[in-house]
Amino acid sequence: MQESAAPNDPARLAYEAFASIYDDFNHLNDYEMWIGALLPELEKHGLRKGRVLDIGCGTGRAFEPMLRRGWEILGCDLTPGMLAEARRKFGDAVPLEVADIRALPTFGEFELVWALNDVINYLAGDGDLERALAGMRANLAPAGLVLFDANTLSLFEASFASGDDEGMSVGEWRWVGQADGVEPGGVFEAQVSGGEIEPHVHRERHWTEQQIQAAMETTGLELLAVLGQREVDLQVVLEQPPDEWDHYKVIYIARAAG
Ligand SMILES: C[S@@+](CC[C@H](N)C(=O)[O-])C[C@H]1O[C@@H](n2cnc3c(N)ncnc32)[C@H](O)[C@@H]1O
């Protein structure tokens, strides 16, 4: 694994500190259930089983459900510490690369290129989203599909304007939202500390649907679906239209335009 991508990036520094507890901190996230809801939406747009490029794959939470369904995976992430956790769990079953979504190499042609669970929100700089989408597009096979999620204002309010809300903390680890409130397009921070980990800050940007649609047009992606995500009776529900307050994530599905 190369280790050269953006060594001082705030997201990379945060995830180096967070990596060892990431899976435990997020143990309630059920990727089998989530992917079981996402794939049928992709199939509506002609998804063909083959290779998936999992960008910002982290510790590989999405790997097992995809391997079980017969997909070949290439995982990449900005943070070597997160990839080390993935390597520990999956050995050589999944090739891994250190890579920044804003300067993505062309790894090949993939039937599916996705970035799951906040990866897009860690892009806080102007132009970052366009660079990321251009890199995703460049890795598509003919008729390949792009999927990513973006956090809504309701999630930002619950996680980044939460103060020292016990509900955001897990075991001995504290997640403390630093913002006084939320507004569309804002950048928000939360501090994580406790146990053996180095205290660190997560900094995420809210992207509006209009900003994402504009970035897709600039980078030659055609938007196929925009879905709001919520959970009902412990099941993931994807529905239209997305709502910043009824849903906690918005799911975007796209393909290369033209
Ligand atoms: C919340 S984690 C999600 C990890 C994994 N996709 C999952 O669902 O568990 C966000 C991940 O995005 C990665 N990340 C943040 N900025 C990135 C960038 N510019 N390029 C690639 N990965 C990035 C972090 O290192 C981290 O592993």
Side-chain angles (χ1 to χ4, degrees):
M1 281 193 289
Q2 288 185 357
E3 306 227 333
S4 56
N8 296 317
D9 184 272
R12 177 165 163 170
L13 295 175
Y15 274 93
E16 283 299 350
F18 201 35
S20 64
I21 66 160
Y22 180 81
D23 284 358
D24 288 335
F25 193 87
N26 294 294
H27 68 280
L28 291 177
N29 293 350
D30 184 340
Y31 278 73
E32 177 57 43
M33 176 174 74
W34 195 20
I35 286 170
L38 293 176
L39 288 177
E41 294 298 333
L42 288 159
E43 284 158 8
K44 288 179 192 168
H45 299 284
L47 180 70
R48 289 192 217 139
K49 189 185 289 184
R51 300 181 71 202
V52 55
L53 177 60
D54 188 345
I55 306 170
C57 66
T59 62
R61 297 293 299 277
F63 291 175
E64 211 169 290
M66 293 303 274
L67 290 171
R68 197 176 311 129
R69 288 169 171 80
W71 284 79
E72 199 182 313
I73 307 170
L74 175 62
C76 67
D77 198 286
L78 184 63
T79 311
M82 293 292 276
L83 293 177
E85 293 294 320
R87 170 78 65 231
R88 188 177 55 74
K89 294 190 289 181
F90 292 93
D92 294 332
V94 178
L96 300 171
E97 300 280 351
V98 177
D100 186 336
I101 192 172
R102 297 163 295 188
L104 211 56
T106 304
F107 289 116
E109 294 193 342
F110 296 82
E111 282 69 31
L112 178 57
V113 175
W114 68 13
L116 295 178
N117 203 12
D118 300 14
V119 179
I120 293 300
N121 295 106
Y122 280 95
L123 305 176
D126 293 335
D128 282 356
L129 183 59
E130 286 81 359
R131 285 185 274 276
L133 296 184
M136 294 175 94
R137 185 187 190 283
N139 278 281
L140 284 174
L145 297 175
V146 163
L147 182 149
F148 60 88
D149 61 86
N151 290 331
T152 60
L153 289 173
S154 72
L155 186 138
F156 276 104
E157 187 173 78
S159 303
F160 289 83
S162 52
D164 201 356
D165 177 356
E166 287 289 308
M168 286 308 301
S169 296
V170 176
E172 62 189 328
W173 304 300
R174 289 173 63 226
W175 176 288
V176 182
Q178 308 286 299
D180 294 329
V182 296
E183 76 279 334
V187 176
F188 309 104
E189 294 186 346
Q191 189 170 52
V192 180
S193 62
E196 301 291 308
I197 62 165
E198 195 66 37
H200 61 276
V201 170
H202 288 260
R203 187 164 187 264
E204 294 195 24
R205 177 170 177 169
H206 173 261
W207 291 100
T208 67
E209 199 176 319
Q210 289 86 343
Q211 286 173 320
I212 289 177
Q213 286 196 17
M216 283 196 179
E217 273 174 37
T218 309
T219 51
L221 283 173
E222 178 190 349
L223 186 57
L224 297 172
V226 191
L227 301 154
Q229 176 171 320
R230 64 191 173 107
E231 281 174 35
V232 180
D233 297 334
L234 297 177
Q235 288 300 314
V236 169
V237 174
L238 300 170
E239 55 199 4
Q240 287 170 321
D243 184 285
E244 288 287 338
W245 296 102
D246 286 345
H247 300 115
Y248 63 94
K249 280 186 181 298
V250 180
I251 303 293
Y252 293 87
I253 299 175
R255 68 180 170 206

